[in-house]
Amino acid sequence: MNMTASLEWDHSGEAPVLQVVGSWTLDQRKPELSEVWRQGGRLPEQLAVHVNVAAWDSSLLALLRRLQRLATEQQVALNLQGLPDGVERLLEMADSPSTQAKEADKPAYGWVARLGLGALTVTTAIANSCIFIGEVIQAIGRLFAGKARMRMSDFWMAFQQCGPGALPIVALIASLIGLILAFVGAAQLEAFGAQLYIANMVAIGMTREMGALMTAVIMAGRTGAAYAAEIGSMQANEEIDALKTFGFPPLEFLILPRLLALLVSMPILTVFADALGVFGGFVIGAGLFDISASQYLNQSLEMLTLTDFLIGLFKSLVFAVLIGLIGCYYGLSCGRNAQAVGQATTNAVVSIIVALVISDAVITLICTQLGI
């Protein structure tokens, strides 16, 4: 049998027959189909194509598909003969529209059914969240008891990512926030000749509110999204199922190191942001209103109390818990495809920011009612 790819006409019978012989593989040189097709002249309504190949791959399938298209254009019916095993099935799959995924039609629900489905979805989400939080608390309890299966190397790696790795962006944003607070306050205080009190406003605003909140927002977009994407990718690749199969608890092996790293790094980043925010306010005070460094520092220290500082640190701890839990929860509840990973990451960031704002408002309201 000829091992080269050959495509030729056989006019020995009553009707022409197209012969496909040789080795139809990617590494073989193949004849030009359009030229061979024109050599056939006027074709009958039923054209026989005899396939007798020594070896084949996708090149043969591509040839047959092109033959089918040419025959359809000239309204000629092909009669494929001698197809190798599997080729006929592959051609049927290529022709069948059922091979393409079809989205199922959504049933038309009434408003009562939609309300019930919405309530069921919310109830399921709350139940899953409570189960997740309970399992995390149990894992923390096993950690304090010395029974948790957590590697310290994972903790230090997570701390490196959410601690020192976040310093540049936190420094930039905190400095700009201090500048903005000082500039906005100066526009109002200048009318009363009280520019020195810029230091008071910036110091209180950064330590009690903006330092912890802006650091948390940065960590939500940086670390919370990373947690959701990392764990979601592991879920999609069935790596978490593999951990369970080998007896490694995913919450102790994956969640605890990330949560503890956030609990350690967030207060440090918050103190760093407070200091740079005060410095940003000093830049405006010294640059626009000639406030000396000693005056600005003394005024800030006189206004600040340990309570203000501790409130900011407490908020940073609450924010760290929210970022870690929500990011990891959406990662673990992710689907099994790439689209689900992206959706989980988006939902995690949105949910974290909403939770941060609500928790900050609640803590501020409680502190106001308690007079602290």
Side-chain angles (χ1 to χ4, degrees):
M1 183 180 295
N2 188 12
M3 294 302 295
T4 60
S6 176
L7 185 65
E8 54 190 21
W9 291 98
D10 182 8
H11 296 280
S12 59
E14 297 180 358
V17 176
L18 186 60
Q19 298 280 351
V20 181
V21 296
S23 179
W24 282 82
T25 56
L26 293 174
D27 58 344
Q28 293 290 337
R29 186 171 181 176
K30 303 165 188 66
E32 182 62 35
L33 176 60
S34 57
E35 295 181 2
V36 176
W37 186 263
R38 285 195 298 268
Q39 294 173 5
R42 184 178 181 83
L43 300 176
E45 296 182 356
Q46 186 82 12
L47 175 63
V49 178
H50 184 69
V51 181
N52 185 17
V53 296
W56 64 276
D57 56 17
S58 58
S59 300
L60 178 61
L61 295 173
L63 170 70
L64 297 177
R65 289 291 293 167
R66 291 178 61 191
L67 281 173
Q68 289 176 338
R69 285 194 292 268
L70 290 173
T72 302
E73 291 175 0
Q74 298 188 11
Q75 298 180 351
V76 174
L78 289 183
N79 181 15
L80 300 176
Q81 302 173 359
L83 291 178
D85 294 339
V87 174
E88 185 174 0
R89 176 59 181 159
L90 290 173
L91 290 175
E92 291 177 357
M93 291 176 61
D95 290 333
S96 175
S98 61
T99 57
Q100 301 179 357
K102 295 182 179 179
E103 183 177 357
D105 296 333
K106 296 183 178 180
Y109 293 116
W111 68 270
V112 177
R114 290 197 300 269
L115 180 62
L117 289 173
L120 183 61
T121 301
V122 172
T123 304
T124 304
I126 293 175
N128 292 336
S129 301
C130 292
I131 293 172
F132 174 74
I133 293 173
E135 291 177 346
V136 171
I137 293 174
Q138 289 179 345
I140 294 175
R142 287 191 293 270
L143 176 65
F144 286 138
K147 299 179 181 179
R149 305 183 68 176
M150 185 192 80
R151 299 185 304 180
M152 288 303 298
S153 59
D154 293 336
F155 166 77
W156 289 114
M157 185 179 298
F159 179 75
Q160 172 65 29
Q161 293 175 351
C162 65
L167 284 176
I169 185 64
V170 171
L172 175 64
I173 298 301
S175 302
L176 293 177
I177 291 297
L179 287 170
I180 293 170
L181 284 177
F183 191 78
V184 172
Q188 305 300 322
L189 295 173
E190 187 178 14
F192 303 97
Q195 297 91 334
L196 183 60
Y197 292 100
I198 294 174
N200 299 27
M201 185 187 63
V202 174
I204 294 296
M206 289 301 300
T207 54
R208 290 182 68 104
E209 292 291 340
M210 300 306 297
L213 183 60
M214 293 310 300
T215 302
V217 171
I218 294 170
M219 299 301 286
R222 186 182 184 278
T223 304
Y227 286 178
E230 290 172 3
I231 300 176
S233 298
M234 296 178 69
Q235 181 77 356
N237 295 331
E238 299 183 355
E239 296 177 34
I240 294 180
D241 294 338
L243 287 175
K244 294 178 181 178
T245 301
F246 284 104
F248 294 100
L251 268 73
E252 298 178 10
F253 204 73
L254 299 175
I255 309 303
L256 276 186
R258 290 169 167 81
L259 184 59
L260 293 178
L262 272 174
L263 285 171
V264 174
S265 62
M266 276 292 293
I268 299 174
L269 291 174
T270 300
V271 173
F272 184 68
D274 293 344
L276 287 177
V278 172
F279 174 75
F282 167 72
V283 171
I284 294 296
L288 297 181
F289 303 103
D290 296 327
I291 303 174
S292 65
S294 59
Q295 282 181 312
Y296 190 91
L297 183 60
N298 291 333
Q299 190 69 23
S300 299
L301 293 177
E302 287 179 5
M303 188 62 190
L304 281 178
T305 62
L306 182 61
T307 301
D308 299 325
F309 182 73
L310 293 179
I311 288 175
L313 289 184
F314 175 73
K315 287 184 177 181
S316 69
L317 292 173
V318 174
F319 296 160
V321 172
L322 292 175
I323 294 170
L325 289 181
I326 296 176
C328 294
Y329 170 77
Y330 277 101
L332 286 176
S333 60
C334 175
R336 302 283 182 169
N337 54 64
Q339 182 180 3
V341 175
Q343 189 64 39
T345 305
T346 302
N347 293 339
V349 174
V350 173
S351 300
I352 290 172
I353 293 177
V354 172
L356 292 177
V357 174
I358 293 176
S359 61
D360 183 64
V362 171
I363 295 173
T364 302
L365 180 61
I366 293 174
C367 292
T368 303
Q369 293 297 321
L370 296 177
I372 57 176

